[in-house]
Amino acid sequence: VTIQSLVQFGKTLIKSTSISARDRAALLSGGAEEDNNPWLKRILLGVYILHKTFEAHDAVRTEILKQCQQEILNNSDCSIYYIHLLAKLCIHCKPAVAENSGLVKECLDCFLIISPSVAVNYFISILPLLACSRDLKNYAVIVLRKAMFSRNYDHRFTAVKCLMHLTLADALPDFRADSGSQASCSQHSQVVNPSGSGGYHDLLGFLRKGLKQQYALRKMLYNGLTELSKLKPGLANLAFEMLLPHFHEFYEEDMDLQPPLRIEKCSSLVASKFRPVEPLHSLVSCVQNLTRAFGGMDDGLESQGAQSQWSIPPGSQRSLVCRRMVQDCNKLHQRMVRVTLEDFGIDKSMDLDVSSSLGQANLHMCYILRGCLEAMIDMESSNMQRNIGTQHSNARGLTHLFEMHHRLSAMMEKRPKPSPKEMKGRVDSGVSDFFKDFEESKVTHMTATSLAYFLDVLRTGEFPCKSQSAPDDPAMYTQSTGMKLARDFRFRLFVLRQCNAMLETVRRWETHFAKVRLACGGSGQKEEISRDIMKLEGRTDWFDVGIPLFNTCEIFVLAECNVRRNGASSQRPRSSQDEMVLLYEACSSIEKLVSIAMMSKRFVEEFSQQSSPGDLEGIELGTEEDLHPVIFLYAHLHKLLLGLVEARFFREAELMANAVFRICSCYPRELGAPASDLARKALQMSETDHVGFVRAVLRIALCFSYSPADMKICEEILEGCNEHYCHGFEEDGSETQRVPGKYGGIITDKTVVALEHVINSHCYEVTDDIVQRMSKSRSGFQSSLPERMVSVLQPTLCSAKLSLDQNADLTVKLLTKVYKTIGDMAKQVAAQKGKFMHSSFVELCDNHLHELTPEVYSYIEELVPHEEELEEEKENANKNKILSNLKKEARRIPNLIYNIEDCERKLIALSKSSGVNLMKNAKKSTARSFKFSEAKQEQREESEAKKLRLV
């Protein structure tokens, strides 16, 4: 093996030509941390080979770096993996990379022509090199400074992000530590050791220009300054000096004037067109977090000996600007608990129609004020935790802020919402996307610590008292304030929605954070550095919320299920609409939490530690020594899903089934068997026409059942569907009793189409898996493949008999795949000359294949429309839709016929060569014109009339 061949082999593995561009992006979702995806392992193996080759051989170093440069500049699909390689080289091989710094500078010069995401990830990968090389760092600052003055918004956005990361690299000395085995880079270039705050002044001076940039850029800058100050306390005073004058532009310093915030300045109308100016809610949240972290303890509290999680960093002094900011924030909080919506000019009569410029400005004010109120509620929560108890004034202030938030949210929900067609031509596309992002990408301005505190309050039903010995002290707690709010349905819903907004943000940026982790160097970089960089990129630390949120939502769900079951037995009124909304929000929180928790082992391990063996009661598992920690999380989901099904909360049960499917997909060996049993039990005990629930649970039952149990389920359900359509209605159109059988309760008019679609999709995936196993088989023909194919044929036959027009495309696609697979199987058997033909393949051809073919002929005849019907449809229906359907039929039906004939041709050839007559039960050859049959058309019209009698 030559060195050049190693390099070429590593490049080939990274390219992975069998993986599409979409799959490469999907690989990163949760796979960068676990490294348990075989495709991802293949790519990372290529990175490892190139890394070790670069480290050991001088001759190929320039070539590998040029390959990285080429892939990054071309913005290829695998550019993130070459960025990952470059990060590893900058960590472990700094001197060697520094010798080729010209290639690094060339990439920096091309910042203006590559995409912003690739540019930022590339800059993160070279941070260890910039931190130890003064020349390269100065060159990067010059490039970023030029980009700050570019007219292109993406260039300025990239420059501000990279400047913040460079500031972080200067703030953390670990970046300059040598983590490799070679000599430090300081032997080859000057070492950067910034003393004092001069270096920070220069970088923050460049960031100061971001305060006059676009809306989204300011929002990103505020979030970054907060994280930078927390990571490096010496930056706090500099950040206060930067933000105080800007904050005073929107803060009313006169205590006698209301409101304290000038939210009307956050937008402007230029030539009667709306233009957003300032994300004041992000600014208020940033300033509040800074003051709470570095100046939130006043002398009065310190003299009382109060303990705070936010303390002044040792060795740092609060500047006058910091003290002034602390005073202003305290005053703002005191004034906000006394202000009303009317003081801001917001009431029910105001115009919130997004199709008008005035309505856009008013709606933007509402969004800004709602975010500011969330920040104030977060501050109130911090005060409650710091004071170790809930004073009457705290509870009253929190109640007032929450009532304002609730009123404002109700007004925004009831605003007129024009359709996209009505907005087209009347509203600028940029403005439309701006407000669409506000609605779909809801971001909470509350911290995880505050939400965890409120979740504890929701579980107990009251705010904690300062002294357990004197709970009746009116100065500390009153039932009319704290307890009433803690047990208010609206407050519970508010807390859960804030948690959902946080989890949705984490899930939405899941792939982005996986790429950032690769750009940091993956496992080759120190965990603390990777965590700090991802926080600067906007990653939310949701772990503090995880377990409290799950426990709270579990209590809500089980309590509501008990209410429904007890109400059904005692004929009491059912759950109210408000309780149903809260139940759905709780199930949605669990579903999102489980989806995010699968990205890391930390939540699963912490959850298992707070669980007990009694939680596993009723679940058939292995011995306790073999139990995986994820079993305890699954046990709670198992209990919740059954409780929702028994209480007939099928809409909520769909969310819980999605959570079960997500966790079982990550741990199929540990959870596959119990999840399959759970799904079958849920389907058998359900009587519902909720399509989403049936689809979600059936997917679990099929995906995690072993063969042939999965196909047995498919066959029983499809036979029930056929019986439902044959005998499901009386002559007067009334519905008869449900179809008997295990799964009769889920077979209804509304669910039949969904059931067939899920089953056909599963059969197609199984057939595709058989094809892949055939292609990978090197030891000859596998007898298990025909046996698996036999189990697929029976559900396929039932689906062809059912002949639903809604699933015609998928059914024809499945039939085509089946015949093509059997033909390929016959070709593989024919290639094994002189070997005995296995009985499983003979059985496949004799007893099953030829039962399917006549039914397929009849199915194709039903698919081919009559000429008179086509003419009538062309006249009455949408022309484009008809033409589209005709094009599909022109492709799918001839392709199916071709594969049927090709399969039979291969079987005939195999029969002649082997001496075994595989076509003895075959239907005689006929002219396959598939002409329209009047008798079958009448029979089909009668069947369709029965189906439509209830409509």
Side-chain angles (χ1 to χ4, degrees):
V1 179
T2 62
I3 301 174
Q4 201 64 34
S5 63
L6 275 177
V7 174
Q8 190 61 36
F9 181 58
K11 293 179 183 178
T12 305
L13 289 177
I14 295 178
K15 284 288 185 181
S16 296
T17 54
S18 60
I19 306 177
S20 64
R22 180 182 300 178
D23 293 335
R24 285 197 189 94
L27 284 176
L28 295 171
S29 300
E33 292 187 4
E34 300 296 339
D35 293 347
N36 55 2
N37 190 305
W39 297 105
L40 185 60
K41 281 186 175 182
R42 175 193 296 184
I43 297 175
L44 295 181
L45 176 60
V47 173
Y48 176 80
I49 291 175
L50 292 181
H51 170 213
K52 292 302 179 181
T53 306
F54 182 95
E55 193 176 46
H57 303 283
D58 299 344
V60 295
R61 288 178 178 175
T62 303
E63 179 185 353
I64 293 176
L65 288 177
K66 284 185 176 180
Q67 181 68 23
C68 294
Q69 179 195 39
Q70 179 182 352
E71 297 292 340
I72 293 171
L73 295 183
N74 292 338
N75 195 17
S76 64
D77 297 331
C78 53
S79 60
I80 184 61
Y81 302 107
Y82 280 98
I83 291 175
H84 178 54
L85 171 62
L86 184 59
K88 283 182 170 292
L89 298 180
C90 290
I91 295 172
H92 300 285
C93 309
K94 291 180 185 177
V97 179
E99 292 175 357
N100 296 272
S101 60
L103 297 175
V104 178
K105 292 181 179 179
E106 289 179 11
C107 282
L108 288 173
D109 289 333
C110 298
F111 256 32
L112 303 183
I113 63 174
I114 58 180
S115 66
S117 60
V118 175
V120 173
N121 288 330
Y122 166 72
F123 195 85
I124 292 173
S125 68
I126 63 173
L127 279 178
L129 190 63
L130 298 178
C132 71
S133 175
R134 184 185 300 276
D135 296 337
L136 196 56
K137 174 191 171 184
N138 292 338
Y139 190 85
V141 171
I142 293 173
V143 172
L144 296 177
R145 187 176 181 183
K146 290 180 181 179
M148 285 288 294
F149 293 96
S150 174
R151 293 185 177 181
N152 192 313
Y153 166 75
D154 290 337
H155 301 161
R156 297 194 298 273
F157 187 86
T158 302
V160 171
K161 263 197 171 184
C162 293
L163 282 171
M164 288 194 297
H165 284 294
L166 190 57
T167 307
L168 175 66
D170 276 350
L172 297 179
D174 291 338
F175 265 110
R176 298 187 294 278
D178 183 25
S179 56
S181 59
Q182 300 187 21
S184 174
C185 185
S186 60
Q187 298 178 6
H188 299 268
S189 61
Q190 294 176 321
V191 180
V192 179
N193 289 312
S195 59
S197 58
Y200 306 139
H201 266 300
D202 294 339
L203 294 177
L204 289 180
F206 297 139
L207 292 176
R208 190 189 301 271
K209 295 179 174 58
L211 296 177
K212 302 299 180 183
Q213 298 291 341
Q214 278 84 355
Y215 190 93
L217 199 150
R218 296 188 191 188
K219 185 188 296 186
M220 183 264 296
L221 180 60
Y222 298 147
N223 297 334
L225 285 176
T226 304
E227 296 300 331
L228 279 175
S229 300
K230 290 181 180 179
L231 297 174
K232 183 62 178 179
L235 296 174
N237 289 329
L238 302 178
F240 282 127
E241 293 177 4
M242 180 192 305
L243 294 175
L244 182 61
H246 189 66
F247 176 71
H248 280 170
E249 294 181 14
F250 305 93
Y251 174 66
E252 178 58 61
E253 298 184 59
D254 191 345
M255 298 289 292
D256 297 330
L257 296 179
Q258 289 284 29
L261 293 175
R262 303 169 183 168
I263 60 175
E264 68 278 358
K265 290 187 175 182
C266 296
S267 59
S268 63
L269 294 176
V270 180
S272 299
K273 290 186 177 180
F274 166 76
R275 185 173 70 90
V277 176
E278 177 65 32
L280 184 58
H281 50 309
S282 297
L283 175 60
V284 171
S285 179
C286 171
V287 170
Q288 175 180 287
N289 288 330
L290 288 175
T291 56
R292 182 168 49 180
F294 303 103
M297 292 182 63
D298 57 355
D299 296 334
L301 288 175
E302 290 179 2
S303 63
Q304 296 175 13
Q307 299 292 329
S308 173
Q309 59 175 330
W310 307 101
S311 59
I312 304 173
S316 62
Q317 298 292 331
R318 289 190 299 181
S319 64
L320 295 177
V321 177
C322 177
R323 295 178 182 274
R324 175 67 183 279
M325 184 69 81
V326 172
Q327 295 175 3
D328 291 341
C329 285
N330 290 335
K331 292 178 182 178
L332 173 62
H333 179 260
Q334 295 171 6
R335 296 168 67 183
M336 285 294 291
V337 297
R338 296 193 301 266
V339 78
T340 63
L341 291 180
E342 287 71 20
D343 293 331
F344 290 96
I346 297 177
D347 53 29
K348 294 182 178 180
S349 62
M350 71 183 306
D351 182 15
L352 295 178
D353 189 357
V354 74
S355 60
S356 65
S357 299
L358 180 59
Q360 294 166 5
N362 291 336
L363 182 59
H364 181 247
M365 288 172 52
C366 293
Y367 279 121
I368 293 294
L369 181 57
R370 187 175 68 176
C372 293
L373 289 173
E374 291 173 4
M376 292 296 106
I377 293 175
D378 185 73
M379 175 65 82
E380 196 70 54
S381 170
S382 298
N383 294 337
M384 291 178 175
Q385 298 175 69
R386 185 177 62 186
N387 296 337
I388 317 178
T390 306
Q391 296 183 0
H392 178 76
S393 58
N394 294 133
R396 185 174 56 187
L398 178 62
T399 302
H400 180 77
L401 292 171
F402 165 70
E403 290 292 344
M404 287 179 60
H405 187 280
H406 177 74
R407 284 185 56 203
L408 184 60
S409 299
M411 290 167 49
M412 295 169 65
E413 290 178 0
K414 295 178 181 179
R415 66 180 177 86
K417 298 180 181 179
S419 63
K421 291 184 178 180
E422 296 175 350
M423 295 179 62
K424 189 175 182 181
R426 299 173 56 188
V427 182
D428 182 74
S429 59
V431 175
S432 177
D433 294 340
F434 175 79
F435 286 104
K436 184 179 180 181
D437 183 67
F438 260 115
E439 295 179 0
E440 297 181 355
S441 305
K442 173 70 171 68
V443 178
T444 180
H445 291 83
M446 299 182 64
T447 60
T449 306
S450 298
L451 290 175
Y453 171 74
F454 283 140
L455 289 169
D456 294 337
V457 170
L458 296 187
R459 288 198 304 276
T460 59
E462 59 183 10
F463 287 91
C465 297
K466 183 174 182 180
S467 176
Q468 297 296 334
S469 60
D472 298 330
D473 187 357
M476 301 309 303
Y477 185 75
T478 57
Q479 184 176 0
S480 61
T481 52
M483 183 179 293
K484 185 177 180 181
L485 179 63
R487 302 183 182 185
D488 190 347
F489 151 77
R490 301 173 303 161
F491 183 70
R492 292 179 175 180
L493 189 61
F494 163 76
V495 175
L496 292 185
R497 285 178 173 172
Q498 295 300 312
C499 295
N500 281 344
M502 176 181 292
L503 297 178
E504 187 62 33
T505 302
V506 176
R507 186 164 67 174
R508 186 166 57 248
W509 293 97
E510 179 181 352
T511 302
H512 169 71
F513 293 134
K515 289 183 178 181
V516 172
R517 181 175 178 82
L518 288 179
C520 293
S523 58
Q525 183 60 275
K526 294 181 179 180
E527 185 63 29
E528 296 79 8
I529 294 179
S530 299
R531 183 180 63 248
D532 294 340
I533 290 177
M534 286 193 286
K535 282 185 177 180
L536 197 57
E537 280 291 309
R539 184 176 186 178
T540 305
D541 192 4
W542 57 272
F543 292 104
D544 294 338
V545 180
I547 294 180
L549 177 61
F550 189 94
N551 294 337
T552 304
C553 294
E554 184 179 29
I555 291 174
F556 288 164
V557 172
L558 295 179
E560 197 61 36
C561 291
N562 290 333
V563 170
R564 171 65 69 90
R565 288 194 295 267
N566 295 336
S569 60
S570 61
Q571 298 183 354
R572 291 190 301 177
R574 292 186 175 183
S575 305
S576 65
Q577 186 66 28
D578 293 343
E579 293 170 340
M580 293 295 295
V581 172
L582 182 63
L583 176 64
Y584 184 84
E585 204 69 31
C587 293
S588 178
S589 299
I590 294 177
E591 189 265 336
K592 293 176 181 178
L593 181 60
V594 171
S595 177
I596 296 172
M598 294 301 101
M599 295 162 44
S600 175
K601 297 180 180 178
R602 177 179 168 185
F603 176 84
V604 175
E605 293 174 353
E606 291 182 358
F607 192 90
S608 63
Q609 292 174 2
Q610 63 106 35
S611 302
S612 61
D615 297 334
L616 306 179
E617 185 179 355
I619 303 177
E620 296 182 2
L621 301 168
T623 60
E624 295 186 2
E625 292 78 7
D626 300 334
L627 292 182
H628 193 279
V630 77
I631 291 292
F632 293 95
L633 178 58
Y634 168 79
H636 286 261
L637 298 177
H638 181 282
K639 182 179 180 180
L640 290 172
L641 178 58
L642 288 181
L644 290 168
V645 172
E646 291 175 359
R648 300 186 60 80
F649 290 123
F650 295 109
R651 187 177 67 140
E652 292 75 14
E654 176 189 357
L655 297 175
M656 207 60 59
N658 292 335
V660 172
F661 181 81
R662 170 67 172 169
I663 192 174
C664 294
S665 299
C666 297
Y667 300 92
R669 294 182 179 178
E670 295 83 359
L671 303 177
S676 177
D677 296 338
L678 169 65
R680 289 197 296 269
K681 183 178 180 180
L683 289 174
Q684 294 172 10
M685 62 189 295
S686 301
E687 291 187 6
T688 179
D689 58 359
H690 193 282
V691 176
F693 164 76
V694 171
R695 186 191 299 270
V697 179
L698 180 59
R699 182 176 59 167
I700 298 174
L702 298 182
C703 290
F704 301 106
S705 294
Y706 293 104
S707 175
D710 57 341
M711 293 303 164
K712 186 65 176 177
I713 298 174
C714 297
E715 183 180 350
E716 291 178 355
I717 293 178
L718 288 178
E719 287 179 352
C721 293
N722 278 295
E723 185 177 353
H724 172 75
Y725 273 145
C726 293
H727 309 289
F729 301 97
E730 299 289 356
E731 294 183 358
D732 58 353
S734 60
E735 188 175 6
T736 62
Q737 295 181 354
R738 290 187 178 271
V739 178
K742 295 180 180 179
Y743 308 103
I746 61 172
I747 300 176
T748 65
D749 257 6
K750 294 182 179 180
T751 60
V752 167
V753 176
L755 289 171
E756 189 196 26
H757 187 276
V758 174
I759 291 174
N760 285 355
S761 299
H762 178 71
C763 292
Y764 188 88
E765 291 175 359
V766 172
T767 307
D768 192 60
D769 180 67
I770 294 175
V771 173
Q772 293 182 8
R773 292 174 60 184
M774 287 172 54
S775 62
K776 294 179 181 179
S777 176
R778 298 181 179 179
S779 59
F781 184 75
Q782 299 182 18
S783 59
S784 60
L785 298 182
E787 296 174 357
R788 182 65 168 150
M789 200 66 208
V790 167
S791 63
V792 175
L793 288 182
Q794 193 60 33
T796 306
L797 175 62
C798 295
S799 180
K801 291 180 179 179
L802 192 58
S803 64
L804 296 179
D805 293 339
Q806 295 90 332
N807 294 325
D809 289 335
L810 183 58
T811 303
V812 172
K813 186 179 177 181
L814 171 62
L815 291 170
T816 305
K817 188 74 172 181
V818 167
Y819 280 103
K820 188 177 186 306
T821 303
I822 297 177
D824 294 342
M825 197 176 295
K827 184 178 179 180
Q828 191 178 44
V829 173
Q832 297 180 337
K833 297 181 179 179
K835 292 187 178 181
F836 176 74
M837 186 181 300
H838 200 275
S839 59
S840 60
F841 182 76
V842 177
E843 181 186 2
L844 172 65
C845 299
D846 285 348
N847 301 330
H848 296 278
L849 176 60
H850 302 301
E851 294 179 7
L852 177 65
T853 303
E855 193 65 38
V856 173
Y857 291 163
S858 302
Y859 179 65
I860 294 176
E861 290 178 355
E862 292 183 1
L863 283 180
V864 178
H866 193 263
E867 295 180 0
E868 297 178 358
E869 288 183 342
L870 284 178
E871 293 297 331
E872 185 177 354
E873 288 178 354
K874 286 181 180 179
E875 295 178 359
N876 300 332
N878 188 349
K879 182 178 180 181
N880 294 331
K881 185 176 181 180
I882 292 297
L883 292 177
S884 176
N885 291 337
L886 290 176
K887 289 180 180 178
K888 287 182 180 179
E889 291 180 357
R891 292 192 302 266
R892 69 189 183 190
I893 296 179
N895 191 27
L896 173 59
I897 296 173
Y898 169 78
N899 280 278
I900 294 175
E901 294 178 344
D902 185 64
C903 176
E904 293 180 353
R905 179 183 61 81
K906 292 177 179 178
L907 290 176
I908 292 174
L910 179 59
S911 299
K912 292 180 179 179
S913 62
S914 63
V916 179
N917 186 8
L918 301 175
M919 302 294 292
K920 59 184 178 181
N921 295 326
K923 181 181 179 181
K924 292 184 179 181
S925 178
T926 57
R928 295 170 184 169
S929 59
F930 300 107
K931 295 182 179 179
F932 176 76
S933 173
E934 296 290 346
K936 289 189 176 182
Q937 175 63 14
E938 293 178 359
Q939 182 180 0
R940 183 182 181 186
E941 289 178 354
E942 292 178 0
S943 177
E944 290 180 351
K946 288 183 178 181
K947 298 176 185 179
L948 297 175
R949 281 175 184 172
L950 289 182
V951 180

